[in-house]
Amino acid sequence: MSTDLAPGKALRGPMNGVDTPALFATIDAVRGNPEIAKFRFRAKNRWVSGTHNRSVIRGFYGAGQEDASRTEDFVYDADHPAILVGSGNGPTPVEFLLHALAACLTSGLANIAAARGVRLTEVESTVEGDIDLLGILGLSDQVRNGYQGIRVSFSISGDAPEEVLRGLVEQSRARSAVYDVLVNGVPVEIDVATR
Amino acid sequence: MSTDLAPGKALRGPMNGVDTPALFATIDAVRGNPEIAKFRFRAKNRWVSGTHNRSVIRGFYGAGQEDASRTEDFVYDADHPAILVGSGNGPTPVEFLLHALAACLTSGLANIAAARGVRLTEVESTVEGDIDLLGILGLSDQVRNGYQGIRVSFSISGDAPEEVLRGLVEQSRARSAVYDVLVNGVPVEIDVATR
């Protein structure tokens, strides 16, 4: 979800499935009216049973209005596996963090490659997170609740030298929304209404 | 993904779809052998086209071995909407963060309620995140790439007074893996192999 302008950008055509001219036009439009850059994303979750719950993702606000482009809900279940006293109806919540990170870095990488005129042929990544459940089980105050560390391993091929391909990942990291949130944290407020 | 032991816990039966005796037995087992609390979760992602990519979640390591309980892959697409120069084949990566947060807090809440003998009837939450795309578009160095703030609004009903229901959310927050990661951040390493 990022780009880095390169010399000669006006000459770039679509590449990597990225509508590069539209990307540059979007950046120019935002430069001319920074208010349209303010977005608000949303998920609605409902408890099903035990550790099983379900989120619906659809609406968001951005570019000055509520989005109407999505015609169907995106629906995601989360649960614990049996070994963590769940029923395995979905991944654990912490696994969705790993997906979000891989997805954000990969989206940005495709955009940046297109902006730089690099044709990608394959991008794969594996994301792993280490967690010690002594934290969330309340068995140690010395162990944090969340991941202690996350590792992303990219495998990339494209029509550019190794250092150029590595530079795409570095630029994607430098402008990744999910990477920023995971590394630097974000304020979270929680309100509760009871019925 | 959390519990808080309550007096009389040995007497608790299953509740809220939580196998409460199994939950307490698991905590006792981990207390006796803390090594089994070390887990490693994983997601594998593959670029499809443009900002569209797909993650597969299945295997994880925990309780001293590679898990074999999941018999199918969990598969998730991510993409940008058209307004962000994508094709809308999935939510944006940052929306999956909101789902992960709601899911983690809700899973923990159901466990904690069961451990405290509170019967839940309904738990809903809406999670919203504000993001200013001037960051990821590279148009401002004063604006962060990620969310500037996230708000979670819970609506809960159950057979307990309001302050008890609120206490469930507070304890879930205090032991949530995703909340911890989002608020406090986590080290992320990125490796790149080129082909």
Side-chain angles (χ1 to χ4, degrees):
Chain A
M1 210 168 175
S2 149
T3 186
D4 183 43
L5 304 190
K9 70 184 178 72
L11 304 176
R12 303 264 188 247
M15 180 179 275
N16 300 327
V18 176
D19 185 346
T20 320
L23 179 60
F24 289 129
T26 298
I27 293 170
D28 285 342
V30 173
R31 189 183 284 114
N33 181 8
E35 277 301 304
I36 63 175
K38 292 183 175 156
F39 276 62
R40 176 170 292 174
F41 291 106
R42 231 173 269 142
K44 291 178 183 286
N45 182 279
R46 178 186 286 268
W47 175 57
V48 179
S49 179
T51 52
H52 180 204
N53 56 80
R54 183 173 295 142
S55 290
V56 173
I57 295 173
R58 182 163 174 174
F60 64 87
Y61 176 90
Q65 60 188 342
E66 185 69 16
D67 176 73
S69 71
R70 291 173 171 171
T71 55
E72 293 185 4
D73 292 343
F74 297 117
V75 180
Y76 302 103
D77 286 43
D79 200 354
H80 288 190
I83 198 170
L84 296 173
V85 201
S87 298
N89 293 292
T92 60
V94 289
E95 289 169 286
F96 281 103
L97 295 181
L98 306 181
H99 161 54
L101 180 59
C104 193
L105 292 169
T106 301
S107 297
L109 200 152
N111 276 345
I112 293 160
R116 294 183 177 183
V118 175
R119 195 171 307 277
L120 297 171
T121 46
E122 197 166 71
V123 181
E124 293 179 358
S125 58
T126 299
V127 189
E128 293 187 323
D130 291 322
I131 190 168
D132 185 335
L133 302 188
L134 293 181
I136 61 172
L137 292 174
L139 294 174
S140 171
D141 287 334
Q142 311 302 312
V143 175
R144 70 177 297 177
N145 296 318
Y147 284 125
Q148 297 174 316
I150 293 175
R151 286 172 310 287
V152 186
S153 300
F154 269 103
S155 174
I156 302 177
S157 52
D159 68 353
E162 179 176 345
E163 61 271 25
V164 173
L165 295 176
R166 289 180 178 277
L168 301 176
V169 177
E170 172 49 28
Q171 182 62 24
S172 182
R173 185 202 62 71
R175 285 297 179 193
S176 165
V178 172
Y179 178 89
D180 172 27
V181 165
L182 292 185
V183 169
N184 299 311
V186 60
V188 175
E189 282 180 33
I190 302 178
D191 297 320
V192 182
T194 60
R195 286 178 296 180
Chain B
M1 209 167 175
S2 151
T3 186
D4 184 43
L5 305 189
K9 70 185 177 74
L11 304 176
R12 302 265 187 246
M15 181 179 275
N16 300 327
V18 176
D19 185 344
T20 320
L23 179 60
F24 289 129
T26 298
I27 293 171
D28 285 342
V30 174
R31 188 182 285 113
N33 181 9
E35 276 301 304
I36 63 175
K38 292 182 175 157
F39 276 62
R40 175 171 293 175
F41 290 106
R42 232 173 269 141
K44 292 178 182 287
N45 183 280
R46 179 186 285 268
W47 175 58
V48 179
S49 179
T51 51
H52 181 202
N53 57 78
R54 183 173 295 142
S55 290
V56 173
I57 294 172
R58 182 163 174 175
F60 65 87
Y61 176 90
Q65 61 188 343
E66 185 69 17
D67 177 72
S69 71
R70 291 173 171 171
T71 56
E72 293 185 4
D73 293 342
F74 297 118
V75 180
Y76 303 103
D77 286 42
D79 199 353
H80 289 190
I83 197 170
L84 297 174
V85 201
S87 297
N89 294 293
T92 60
V94 290
E95 289 170 286
F96 281 104
L97 294 181
L98 306 182
H99 162 54
L101 180 58
C104 193
L105 291 169
T106 301
S107 297
L109 201 153
N111 276 345
I112 294 159
R116 294 183 177 182
V118 174
R119 194 171 308 276
L120 297 171
T121 47
E122 197 166 72
V123 181
E124 292 179 358
S125 58
T126 298
V127 188
E128 292 187 322
D130 291 323
I131 189 167
D132 185 335
L133 302 187
L134 294 180
I136 63 171
L137 292 173
L139 294 174
S140 171
D141 287 335
Q142 312 302 311
V143 175
R144 71 177 295 177
N145 296 318
Y147 285 125
Q148 298 175 313
I150 293 175
R151 286 173 309 287
V152 186
S153 300
F154 268 104
S155 173
I156 302 176
S157 52
D159 67 353
E162 179 176 345
E163 62 270 26
V164 172
L165 295 176
R166 289 181 179 275
L168 301 176
V169 176
E170 172 50 28
Q171 181 61 24
S172 182
R173 185 202 62 72
R175 285 297 180 191
S176 165
V178 173
Y179 178 90
D180 172 25
V181 165
L182 292 185
V183 169
N184 298 311
V186 60
V188 175
E189 281 179 35
I190 303 178
D191 297 321
V192 182
T194 61
R195 287 179 297 181

